[in-house]
Amino acid sequence: MDFDLVIKNGLIATASDVISGQDIGVRDGKIACIGFGLPTTSSTQIIDAEGGFITPGGVDSHVHLEQWNTPTGDTWITGSRSALCGGTTTVIAFASQNKHHESVLPIVDDYAALAKGRSSCDYALHLIMTNPTPKIVNEELPFLVKEHGITSVKLYMTYDPMKLRDREILDIMVATRRLGMTTMIHAENHDMIELIIETLEARGQTDPYYHAVSRPQLAEAEATYRAIALSEMMDTPILLVHVSSETAAKHIRDAQTRLLPIYGETCPQYLYLLSERLKGENFEGAKCVCSPPLREKPADLDSMWTSIANGTFTTFSSDHAASKFGVEGGKRLGLINGRPYFKKIPNGLPGLETRLPLLYKGVQEGRITIHDYVRVSASNPAKLYGLHTKGAIQPGLDADFIIWYPEGKMEPFELTNAMLHHDIDYSPFEGMTFTNWPRYTILRGQTVWSRDGEGFMAKQDQGRYVKRGTSALGGPRNVFVNEWRPPV
């Protein structure tokens, strides 16, 4: 048996096991074999992992690239490059509907055209729905599932340009349940937030820090509970995205113990950053404005780690929605005539490249296991979103890998933004010390990142569009019911 690539001497990490002493053989971009002493020829590329972990290529299932509302953010070119350099081999980004759009098909076509030939990593698309007309829900969603393999939608419970009423969410859930789509929900109580914002503005409290004050944990917890109630009524699987608070996570876990198809996601900023970062001088706090906001206490961070370790969180994503800080149209939109207005600051942080190294730090520090890392960073996202050739190291799947340094092999370093490969002028994680980082990233059998060698090695058009199937993880409880019927 001839192989194009053989990876030797690594610890193959899965969501349940660590396999040592066996090689990985790759042929034609697929994992062909895992076994002892695989043969090689003069044409076989050999990578010696030297005892380091080999994990599946990362799947970042929540990424905003080149959207209309992030004009200073990363493009597909720069964002996909950054992804590979941080170990992510597949991203899922968002084609976003505006309220005035009467059809989502042109939106999907236009957004797909932005990515085609301009992504170095593999990619798939979600749909953000803000105007769910009957035609879109009943005719266009089935077309997107069948023809484009777009099997997930994202819904907002806040933001005036995007929020949906509960009835609109219910109507969408009827369709997504029937079609086997994954429904993603940004859960924050819009009216609570608006009241607090108006009160703060009346008091002149408009510095970036007050962004966190305006979006309390209670607003996230209430909307999370309400979203779960809507899901339970319709028996429709949902994923609560970028969960930041202990109470919201508890609502998710309570629903899961009742065997409801409720899933959760969190992000690196909720593991490492606190709201005090919003107090920086010279408007620097604007760099860390995101929604839900950074929380107040170290205990808030600990609760997010616990929710990864105990299985409450299904996925771990970057929610990369970056805006530059020092250019017109970026974060400084919130600085008007020299006065800060937190409501005007674009939401979102850069995090595509740092997502996996930050999660891996949790393994090194004993907060989570290597199995937890694989589960939330690759295996579960692939299952949840119908990426059936991704997310695991087993024969027949795409040969996507990260090879990490053996412990103690990499020289520790302090992160600077200049080390990263995105097109954003800051990172909220600058100054952190790392003792491991992806040594190699391999996409479908091709080495696309070599930290000790040539660095970024991928071609601009190397990424392929992945037409997704239905979720292998999420499903209604009553699997025998194909058409919606009123709950008893």
Side-chain angles (χ1 to χ4, degrees):
M1 182 179 290
D2 293 333
F3 299 106
D4 303 319
L5 167 68
V6 171
I7 305 173
K8 295 180 174 291
N9 301 323
L11 300 173
I12 303 170
T14 73
S16 59
D17 296 297
V18 173
I19 302 168
S20 62
Q22 299 193 44
D23 306 336
I24 302 173
V26 174
R27 187 171 60 230
D28 298 329
K30 299 286 186 180
I31 301 171
C33 183
I34 300 174
F36 294 98
L38 296 185
T40 61
T41 67
S42 58
S43 62
T44 304
Q45 179 190 3
I46 301 172
I47 295 180
D48 187 349
E50 299 182 22
F53 275 119
I54 306 169
T55 58
V59 177
D60 195 339
S61 55
H62 192 154
V63 174
H64 300 273
L65 294 176
E66 214 160 336
Q67 286 183 203
W68 57 268
N69 58 346
T70 53
T72 68
D74 272 307
T75 66
W76 276 97
I77 294 173
T78 60
S80 62
R81 175 184 67 200
S82 181
L84 291 175
C85 297
T88 293
T89 52
T90 306
V91 301
I92 314 181
F94 296 88
S96 183
Q97 181 192 24
N98 260 335
K99 285 282 189 184
H100 66 269
H101 291 142
E102 297 295 326
S103 172
V104 297
L105 300 184
I107 296 163
V108 170
D109 289 341
D110 290 347
Y111 190 64
L114 289 176
K116 188 175 182 179
R118 300 175 68 236
S119 179
S120 301
C121 66
D122 286 355
Y123 64 97
L125 301 180
H126 304 292
L127 173 67
I128 292 175
M129 294 185 66
T130 60
N131 181 23
T133 66
K135 179 182 178 182
I136 292 172
V137 172
N138 298 320
E139 299 177 23
E140 296 190 356
L141 282 187
F143 177 83
L144 291 176
V145 171
K146 181 179 179 181
E147 300 299 328
H148 291 271
I150 295 176
T151 55
S152 50
V153 297
K154 183 181 179 183
L155 314 178
Y156 287 83
M157 300 175 79
T158 187
Y159 302 135
D160 282 320
M162 311 183 88
K163 69 182 177 70
L164 299 175
R165 295 178 289 107
D166 288 354
R167 174 55 192 269
E168 291 174 310
I169 294 173
L170 289 170
D171 288 340
I172 293 169
M173 284 182 171
V174 173
T176 57
R177 181 188 188 281
R178 181 174 61 246
L179 295 168
M181 302 181 77
T182 300
T183 305
M184 309 162 69
I185 297 182
H186 177 138
E188 289 182 289
N189 184 300
H190 181 79
D191 291 327
M192 283 184 182
I193 293 166
E194 285 298 295
L195 174 63
I196 298 171
I197 289 175
E198 290 174 9
T199 303
L200 292 170
E201 289 183 338
R203 295 174 177 173
Q205 295 173 317
T206 58
D207 287 346
Y209 174 74
Y210 291 100
H211 169 79
V213 176
S214 73
R215 308 181 90 94
Q217 296 195 34
L218 183 62
E220 182 184 12
E222 187 282 330
T224 298
Y225 185 86
R226 180 157 40 100
I228 292 170
L230 299 178
S231 167
E232 182 173 11
M233 174 183 170
M234 305 310 295
D235 195 20
T236 298
I238 61 171
L239 173 79
L240 281 304
V241 297
H242 45 52
V243 176
S244 69
S245 70
E246 182 176 10
T247 307
K250 185 177 185 301
H251 288 324
I252 294 169
R253 187 155 184 83
D254 289 345
Q256 292 168 345
T257 62
R258 294 192 290 121
L259 303 183
L260 298 179
I262 307 298
Y263 304 95
E265 167 199 276
T266 196
C267 307
Q269 54 267 33
Y270 306 123
L271 301 182
Y272 286 100
L273 306 179
L274 295 172
S275 58
E276 64 184 18
R277 293 287 296 271
L278 299 171
K279 295 179 179 180
E281 297 181 357
N282 301 318
F283 200 59
E284 290 279 331
K287 293 178 177 179
C288 290
V289 166
C290 59
S291 294
L294 306 181
R295 298 307 181 186
E296 298 80 20
K297 302 174 182 177
D300 296 319
L301 308 181
D302 293 338
S303 69
M304 296 298 98
W305 282 110
T306 298
S307 293
I308 292 176
N310 68 19
T312 301
F313 291 141
T314 307
T315 66
F316 180 75
S317 304
S318 68
D319 191 14
H320 181 86
S323 293
K324 291 186 177 71
F325 179 73
V327 303
E328 185 177 351
K331 291 285 189 179
R332 290 182 179 273
L333 285 173
L335 198 61
I336 302 172
N337 296 324
R339 182 178 176 183
Y341 289 88
F342 69 82
K343 189 177 179 179
K344 301 293 185 180
I345 301 170
N347 271 280
L349 307 178
L352 237 177
E353 190 168 346
T354 50
R355 176 183 73 112
L356 296 180
L358 287 166
L359 185 62
Y360 194 87
K361 279 177 69 71
V363 177
Q364 294 177 293
E365 295 167 0
R367 288 181 172 271
I368 60 173
T369 68
I370 191 65
H371 311 301
D372 297 325
Y373 165 92
V374 172
R375 175 175 51 83
V376 297
S377 70
S379 296
N380 276 357
K383 292 176 183 177
L384 184 66
Y385 292 109
L387 293 162
H388 299 317
T389 65
K390 303 290 185 182
I393 300 176
Q394 64 185 53
L397 300 190
D398 287 350
D400 297 349
F401 312 108
I402 305 168
I403 301 177
W404 298 86
Y405 288 89
E407 287 302 315
K409 178 76 174 182
M410 191 194 83
E411 189 70 27
F413 69 91
E414 188 175 288
L415 183 70
T416 66
N417 190 59
M419 296 174 178
L420 301 176
H421 297 79
H422 58 200
D423 187 33
I424 306 301
D425 54 3
Y426 75 97
S427 167
F429 305 106
E430 286 185 87
M432 290 185 63
T433 298
F434 290 84
T435 58
N436 216 319
W437 197 270
R439 188 177 189 178
Y440 300 100
T441 304
I442 298 167
L443 172 64
R444 286 181 275 105
Q446 299 294 314
T447 302
V448 289
W449 163 253
S450 173
R451 188 171 181 269
D452 297 326
E454 299 179 39
F456 177 68
M457 301 164 63
K459 299 176 182 177
Q460 181 177 301
D461 62 351
Q462 194 159 338
R464 295 179 183 173
Y465 178 73
V466 182
K467 185 177 179 180
R468 293 182 287 137
T470 55
S471 175
L473 195 61
R477 288 175 298 168
N478 188 348
V479 297
F480 301 104
V481 177
N482 295 318
E483 295 294 330
W484 178 80
R485 62 188 182 190
V488 176

